[in-house]
Amino acid sequence: MKYLILFISSFFIAPLAEEAHEFHVSKCLVEYKAENAELQISMNIFIDDLELALESRGVQKLFIGTEKEQEDANAFIEKYIDQVFQIEIDGSGIVDPIFLGKEVSDDLTSIWCYMQIPMPQPLQSLKVKNSILLETFDDQKNITSIVGPENKKDSFMSIRGDDVKEVSY
Amino acid sequence: MSIDLRPEALFLGQKRDTLGDIFSIYFNIGFSHIYDMAAIDHILFLVALCALFTVKDWRKLLVLITAFTLGHSITLALAILDIIPINARLVELLIPITILLTAIYNGYTLWKDKWQSRGKSRTQYLMALGFGWIHGMGFSNYLRSTLFPEEKLLGQLFAFNIGIEVGQIIILAKILLLTFIFTQLLKIKRNHWAFTLSGLAFAVSLYLIIDQL
């Protein structure tokens, strides 16, 4: 009898598993292209996570990647990225990247955002702060891959309290 | 912005250990993917798989876990290398079904009083292997969203898989410790304990299945 009670009571704790398998990650590629004299940035973010972050900042639901997508969606996304993703080049202050556009992933769950920074001088050092969604989810992880001059590669993972990487060439 | 005082940041430019960076990043991602309450489905599967065993049966359990590991490593690699296509939604539904079936198998074993013959049964090894395939596909969904395919793909895959295995070993050790505490110290009968674990896995997996339908 007591096992029956135990068995039935486990149905009541089952809803604790509600959040099962939600994972909070984003990835970002920062690539220096000497031949184009620019820094190219592509960033992959889950749409539902991004919308949650924007809503917590008072933005109405944007329906990103659907037919109902708000006209000003890109502007809100760009503004958000500017606030939480910052790049400093050669120690001379934060540079706002030019937002080129976005693309919905094949499985419709995430977007790729494309940005660019003109680089008239060769890249010497780079400081990247990637705190995308870190304030929204305590288990958020952002992986940033940096490809510098001569194809030198560095990667880092941002978590709360540790979201900056500095590279010199 | 905070100042980065980690040794690799201070010596940057002189020593560039990208391979080490990639290993630690993807190891961490793999480990935290399974060693976390958000991975309740994988953890519950391990609970159901271990429910019939105690520390004394470690040899049988080792074979069983090896079968599961072999299974998930194979499909994880095949999916990441784009050799097999993955339907993420289907996989997310199949994972709790593997837990449910394992729990039902345990219940059947306990009910039929096949206690003594447990572990001799090939069914369980095949189940662990086959269900491992499904869990591996689940891992691949996650890894894919963090991967940079143009970069050292095998290195990322390898580090992620090692992270998963280390997390899995710690979870197994904790389950066996609980089993030891309840059956040896608190003197709960082994089959009652096995039934409790299986019942828990059954209930939660049923909830996860219904939640997705």
Side-chain angles (χ1 to χ4, degrees):
Chain A
M1 187 60 199
K2 63 181 171 183
Y3 287 97
L4 189 66
I5 295 168
L6 198 68
F7 184 59
I8 292 167
S9 60
S10 48
F11 279 93
F12 290 95
I13 65 153
L16 291 176
E18 183 96 62
E19 302 242 321
H21 244 77
E22 287 202 352
F23 46 81
H24 301 124
V25 290
S26 82
K27 58 183 171 184
C28 175
L29 181 66
V30 179
E31 214 171 348
Y32 175 64
K33 295 276 188 192
E35 64 276 20
N36 305 8
E38 65 182 23
L39 206 61
Q40 297 176 350
I41 303 162
S42 36
M43 191 181 278
N44 183 245
I45 315 174
F46 281 114
I47 293 172
D48 46 356
D49 296 351
L50 179 63
E51 289 191 333
L52 200 66
L54 289 170
E55 279 163 46
S56 76
R57 287 173 173 235
V59 178
Q60 79 279 23
K61 192 166 166 58
L62 297 175
F63 301 99
I64 298 167
T66 68
E67 286 176 1
K68 284 195 284 181
E69 181 174 310
Q70 303 292 305
E71 274 178 30
D72 45 5
N74 277 10
F76 283 113
I77 295 169
E78 183 182 352
K79 193 177 160 210
Y80 176 73
I81 292 176
D82 276 349
Q83 285 166 352
V84 294
F85 179 83
Q86 288 162 348
I87 283 195
E88 211 179 307
I89 291 164
D90 301 339
S92 55
I94 293 163
V95 187
D96 270 349
I98 302 161
F99 191 86
L100 301 174
K102 70 170 191 316
E103 197 175 55
V104 179
S105 66
D106 295 338
D107 63 1
L108 307 177
T109 59
S110 64
I111 49 167
W112 281 97
C113 295
Y114 301 105
M115 287 159 282
Q116 179 228 339
I117 298 174
M119 295 283 303
Q121 258 95 49
L123 179 64
Q124 283 164 0
S125 77
L126 201 61
K127 190 167 170 181
V128 181
K129 178 189 166 85
N130 186 348
S131 53
I132 296 280
L133 299 169
L134 288 185
E135 59 167 37
T136 314
F137 304 109
D138 58 7
D139 61 343
Q140 176 73 26
K141 296 185 182 76
N142 302 318
I143 300 167
T144 311
S145 179
I146 304 168
V147 183
E150 288 158 33
N151 222 18
K152 281 183 184 150
K153 288 177 181 167
D154 291 271
S155 309
F156 78 105
M157 182 168 77
S158 310
I159 51 170
R160 265 190 196 175
D162 182 10
D163 54 11
V164 183
K165 172 95 175 178
E166 224 174 323
V167 196
S168 310
Y169 300 101
Chain B
M1 281 188 194
S2 61
I3 299 165
D4 194 346
L5 287 173
R6 288 169 303 166
E8 66 265 32
L10 293 175
F11 295 105
L12 248 150
Q14 293 161 37
K15 185 170 175 253
R16 196 177 290 274
D17 193 7
T18 305
L19 202 63
D21 280 353
I22 288 189
F23 186 86
S24 67
I25 290 170
Y26 288 91
F27 176 88
N28 181 306
I29 286 177
F31 180 80
S32 60
H33 184 47
I34 188 161
Y35 198 72
D36 185 287
M37 275 320 277
I40 185 81
D41 46 358
H42 299 300
I43 295 172
L44 268 183
F45 180 75
L46 293 174
V47 167
L49 205 60
C50 297
L52 301 181
F53 297 90
T54 67
V55 185
K56 284 179 202 154
D57 312 310
W58 67 272
R59 276 170 224 268
K60 288 173 193 163
L61 192 58
L62 190 69
V63 179
L64 202 61
I65 291 303
T66 307
F68 177 63
T69 301
L70 199 67
H72 72 231
S73 302
I74 290 170
T75 47
L76 172 63
L78 292 178
I80 290 300
L81 300 173
D82 273 329
I83 297 169
I84 52 170
I86 300 294
N87 180 333
R89 292 197 68 151
L90 182 65
V91 171
E92 294 306 311
L93 179 64
L94 285 175
I95 287 176
I97 291 175
T98 65
I99 307 167
L100 190 77
L101 292 177
T102 310
I104 291 171
Y105 173 86
N106 289 350
Y108 173 79
T109 308
L110 293 166
W111 177 58
K112 281 280 184 184
D113 202 22
K114 288 189 175 172
W115 191 252
Q116 292 312 317
S117 63
R118 83 199 183 283
K120 286 176 191 160
S121 137
R122 285 231 173 103
T123 321
Q124 223 183 350
Y125 297 134
L126 289 175
M127 244 167 52
L129 181 72
F131 291 170
W133 292 340
I134 292 165
H135 285 251
M137 295 179 204
F139 295 147
S140 79
N141 288 335
Y142 178 68
L143 177 57
R144 192 173 287 279
S145 47
T146 64
L147 270 186
F148 294 97
E150 62 280 4
E151 259 183 69
K152 304 188 177 78
L153 190 62
L154 286 175
Q156 298 174 67
L157 175 63
F158 175 74
F160 179 82
N161 209 352
I162 299 288
I164 294 264
E165 305 320 333
V166 172
Q168 182 173 292
I169 288 168
I170 297 175
I171 293 164
L172 287 171
K174 288 193 171 178
I175 299 168
L176 288 178
L177 180 68
L178 276 182
T179 299
F180 178 79
I181 291 170
F182 279 93
T183 61
Q184 303 295 312
L185 304 181
L186 301 175
K187 303 288 176 202
I188 288 177
K189 282 186 186 162
R190 270 179 66 177
N191 54 346
H192 288 176
W193 174 246
F195 186 76
T196 305
L197 288 185
S198 306
L200 182 77
F202 180 87
V204 180
S205 58
L206 195 62
Y207 178 86
L208 289 173
I209 293 165
I210 293 165
D211 197 39
Q212 288 189 43
L213 293 178

